[in-house]
Amino acid sequence: MASTEHREKEAYDDDAATAVDQHPPGHITLTPGPDHHGHNPASHDPDRPDLSFPFQTTNTVQGGFTDEYRVTSKTGYITADLALRPVPSHYHALPAVLADPEKAIRLKQVKLVTWYENDPEDPRNWSNAYKWYITFVCALSVVSIAFATAIIAGDFGGVMREFEVSEVVVALSVSLMIIGFGLGPLILAPLSELHGRRPFWVAPFLVYIIFNIPCALAKNIGTLLVSRFLCGLFGSGPFALAGGAIADIWDNNERGFAVALFAAAPYGGPVLGPIVGGFIGETVGWRWIFWVNMMFAGVVACMCATIPETYAPALLLKRAKRLRAETGDPNITTEQELFRKTLKEIVIETAVRPFQMIATEPILTLMSLYASLIYGLLYAFFFSFPIVFSEGYGYNDGITGLMFCSVLIGVGLALFVTPRLEKDYLRRAKEKGGHADPEDRLIGMMIGCWFIPIGMFIFGWTSPPAVMPGGGNWVGPCSAGIPFGFGMVVLYFSANAYIIDAFPGYVASALAAKIVIRSGLGAATPLFITAMFHNLGNGWAASVWAFISLALIPIPFCFYRYGKWIRSRSKRAA
């Protein structure tokens, strides 16, 4: 290995190099230049995972990792022989192309295209106002899709009466859409790595809008359920794209509040659904729920169409192809193009590896399970609130929907806390010489975990029959949404960040595994929650969830103390 590294250093001494130089609008030419090295801008921390790296479509066994998509250089390229490095994990296996002496020497001729310093085409250099607009649209797109899952909860009764089916069957309209959310990103994520994010902001969204039509016009329950599943499948685009797009435009040292918005969107969106759906169903009927949802989705789709391509590998690949055509130099390329996976490898990466990691990585399994429990509890609220407020207090669907405003208040409070957690993380990193441990991400979980059981206990034991309706007694169960909403977002924000930092070389597979577990639990909860509250009573049904939440509280504390030791025994963890 030492001799190989020596050859790699000698390769950089070759002075027959060219550089990419930028000229006015759209003209890029090659001119001689001595600078082969890239450097990280102040906004980028190379020790933290690069969420713009095409994990699912790049053969990292052959080529390893590179900072090509984040570094900047004066010349516009870096030579590949020293740009490539091992996948970050405890097992630093040299990439196959560097382990082969002949291939390693040839790499000195390969020029990996990078951004220039202050490159106007680099999404990170766009104006802050424009980046905040894109961030807003990304978050709104997630809200609109998540909103659609729960809007039907505003008038379950209308669907049950028209099709003469049980509440469990109608609950499938929520469950099947959530399942679609879990499957869609497994397809859309690798496609967006190959073709860029922009095409998948619009095309799947339009199909999602179309499938709202058979939902509104359904003549039987089968049509409604199949259409809802397809809505989830094609509407999952924002779940696959939004987080990455935000990471494209905000580098990892500056995306605190932007990521906080994204973390809150999947949880805030469903809360809005029953609020709006309740009044629509109460006044004009359940079919208009889908027409209104379709209108909202149409407006959001128009806004999504304004999002430009933000994915660095796609933008740099386009530049590399243009430069090859202009110069005739076949050595100008990107790592993704140089080491692209085969279709079989991509399928294994997206459909097999997430399940392998669930089975072999206790950090990923337990953190995903914890985050998924919270997601399931959110959908449990959509079915337990009507039991308490419609059956217990006699409120109509519209007023019952308004009770979810308390969860929104909790979500709003969390938005003030999550950016401070990010600042605390950066402070800890600075105190540790610029490199924090992944376990430093768990501070938010250790704060937020207490609020979930508190909210569930309040909800259960301030509801009928423990506290009978009358006067302002509705405030008790309603207020339970505040600690729940707060804890939900803070906990998810920290858990998501910990998973990313703990598996920097396998981020895509780790997040896919989390989505699979989250969607599975979120889809299952609506099917039994009503029977659970009816059979156990409000107090004890809510208490069961509270006790489960209490049982999971040790997870972040244990990982905070022993996480580093557990990671040291993992093949994939940092």
Side-chain angles (χ1 to χ4, degrees):
M1 184 178 294
S3 62
T4 303
E5 292 174 353
H6 180 67
R7 281 192 297 271
E8 292 166 18
K9 292 179 181 178
E10 288 182 336
Y12 254 120
D13 292 335
D14 182 53
D15 52 4
T18 56
V20 182
D21 196 15
Q22 177 144 18
H23 292 275
H27 297 285
I28 298 177
T29 59
L30 291 176
T31 57
D35 186 359
H36 302 261
H37 299 273
H39 63 273
N40 290 293
S43 62
H44 183 67
D45 181 355
D47 292 324
R48 296 168 63 184
D50 176 11
L51 298 184
S52 288
F53 187 88
F55 293 96
Q56 295 177 305
T57 55
T58 301
N59 190 333
T60 53
V61 174
Q62 287 292 320
F65 262 38
T66 177
D67 291 322
E68 172 193 6
Y69 310 113
R70 287 302 188 185
V71 299
T72 61
S73 64
K74 293 181 180 179
T75 59
Y77 76 90
I78 52 178
T79 51
D81 52 346
L82 286 183
L84 302 177
R85 55 186 173 83
V87 174
S89 71
H90 281 287
Y91 293 83
H92 288 277
L94 198 66
V97 71
L98 295 180
D100 185 319
E102 294 184 5
K103 292 181 179 179
I105 291 175
R106 286 200 296 269
L107 281 179
K108 70 179 183 179
Q109 305 295 335
V110 177
K111 306 177 182 71
L112 299 181
V113 177
T114 69
W115 298 117
Y116 291 101
E117 297 175 356
N118 302 314
D119 194 326
E121 295 182 14
D122 184 350
R124 295 173 298 176
N125 292 328
W126 296 343
S127 70
N128 280 342
Y130 190 41
K131 290 197 290 186
W132 278 116
Y133 168 75
I134 293 174
T135 301
F136 170 75
V137 175
C138 288
L140 183 63
S141 68
V142 175
V143 168
S144 71
I145 299 299
F147 167 86
T149 61
I151 190 171
I152 185 61
D155 192 16
F156 273 153
V159 181
M160 292 166 59
R161 288 188 295 272
E162 177 150 346
F163 295 130
E164 298 180 347
V165 294
S166 68
E167 187 171 357
V168 174
V169 175
V170 179
L172 282 170
S173 64
V174 176
S175 298
L176 288 173
M177 191 167 184
I178 296 173
I179 291 173
F181 285 166
L183 296 177
L186 298 180
I187 302 169
L188 293 176
L191 286 176
S192 67
E193 286 190 5
L194 292 173
H195 304 290
R197 304 197 198 278
R198 180 168 168 73
F200 301 100
W201 273 117
V202 179
F205 215 112
L206 292 177
V207 178
Y208 155 69
I209 293 173
I210 292 171
F211 275 111
N212 274 273
I213 298 175
C215 288
L217 299 177
K219 300 298 183 182
N220 55 65
I221 191 65
T223 301
L224 176 61
L225 296 181
V226 171
S227 299
R228 287 284 284 176
F229 170 74
L230 294 173
C231 280
L233 187 67
F234 289 99
S236 62
F239 285 95
L241 304 174
I246 290 173
D248 292 340
I249 60 177
W250 301 102
D251 221 333
N252 54 19
N253 278 343
E254 58 183 10
R255 64 173 74 120
F257 188 67
V259 172
L261 284 176
F262 173 69
Y267 293 95
V271 176
L272 291 171
I275 297 175
V276 176
F279 283 107
I280 296 174
E282 187 73 22
T283 54
V284 291
W286 67 269
R287 293 185 184 275
W288 268 96
I289 286 177
F290 294 109
W291 294 123
V292 171
N293 182 63
M294 184 177 174
M295 295 173 196
F296 180 31
V299 172
V300 175
C302 292
M303 298 178 72
C304 288
T306 66
I307 298 178
E309 182 58 69
T310 60
Y311 193 44
L315 294 170
L316 291 177
L317 176 59
K318 183 179 180 181
R319 178 179 289 186
K321 290 179 177 178
R322 185 169 68 245
L323 287 172
R324 284 201 299 269
E326 291 175 357
T327 65
D329 185 352
N331 291 319
I332 299 174
T333 185
T334 66
E335 189 202 8
Q336 183 193 33
E337 186 178 31
L338 194 61
F339 300 106
R340 179 167 292 181
K341 285 182 177 179
T342 64
L343 177 61
K344 179 181 177 181
E345 291 171 331
I346 293 174
V347 171
I348 292 174
E349 179 73 27
T350 57
V352 177
R353 179 171 285 171
F355 296 97
Q356 290 177 337
M357 293 182 69
I358 290 172
T360 59
E361 300 291 346
I363 289 177
L364 177 62
T365 303
L366 291 175
M367 298 302 290
S368 299
L369 181 64
Y370 202 163
S372 300
L373 171 73
I374 309 308
Y375 192 67
L377 278 177
L378 175 61
Y379 282 90
F381 267 30
F382 300 144
F383 293 82
S384 56
F385 266 45
I387 294 173
V388 171
F389 294 106
S390 294
E391 297 179 14
Y393 282 83
Y395 294 161
N396 61 37
D397 290 339
I399 300 300
T400 298
L402 282 178
M403 298 297 122
F404 287 97
C405 288
S406 61
V407 182
L408 282 180
I409 293 172
V411 171
L413 292 174
L415 289 178
F416 289 97
V417 174
T418 45
R420 287 167 174 75
L421 291 174
E422 185 71 14
K423 290 182 180 178
D424 177 73
Y425 172 81
L426 296 176
R427 177 187 60 80
R428 290 170 180 268
K430 186 176 181 180
E431 291 175 353
K432 295 182 178 181
H435 181 64
D437 295 318
E439 286 69 35
D440 290 317
R441 290 290 193 183
L442 294 173
I443 302 300
M445 285 194 75
M446 292 189 285
I447 295 172
C449 63
W450 303 99
F451 290 88
I452 305 301
I454 289 173
M456 296 310 297
F457 279 128
I458 292 175
F459 181 70
W461 296 108
T462 59
S463 300
V467 177
M468 296 304 293
N473 290 348
W474 61 269
V475 173
C478 177
S479 64
I482 297 176
F484 177 81
F486 175 82
M488 172 178 65
V489 173
V490 171
L491 192 150
Y492 177 78
F493 174 83
S494 297
N496 201 59
Y498 181 52
I499 290 173
I500 291 171
D501 285 6
F503 301 95
Y506 303 89
V507 170
S509 295
L511 293 181
K514 182 204 68 177
I515 290 173
V516 168
I517 295 176
R518 186 184 72 180
S519 298
L521 193 54
T525 304
L527 301 179
F528 62 81
I529 200 69
T530 300
M532 182 178 182
F533 271 76
H534 281 155
N535 293 330
L536 296 181
N538 297 332
W540 285 110
S543 294
V544 168
W545 290 108
F547 287 128
I548 294 174
S549 302
L550 284 172
L552 295 178
I553 282 178
I555 290 177
F557 293 91
C558 289
F559 283 145
Y560 187 77
R561 181 166 183 176
Y562 301 109
K564 187 173 183 179
W565 178 82
I566 296 173
R567 287 188 289 109
S568 70
R569 281 150 180 77
S570 167
K571 292 183 178 181
R572 297 185 178 97

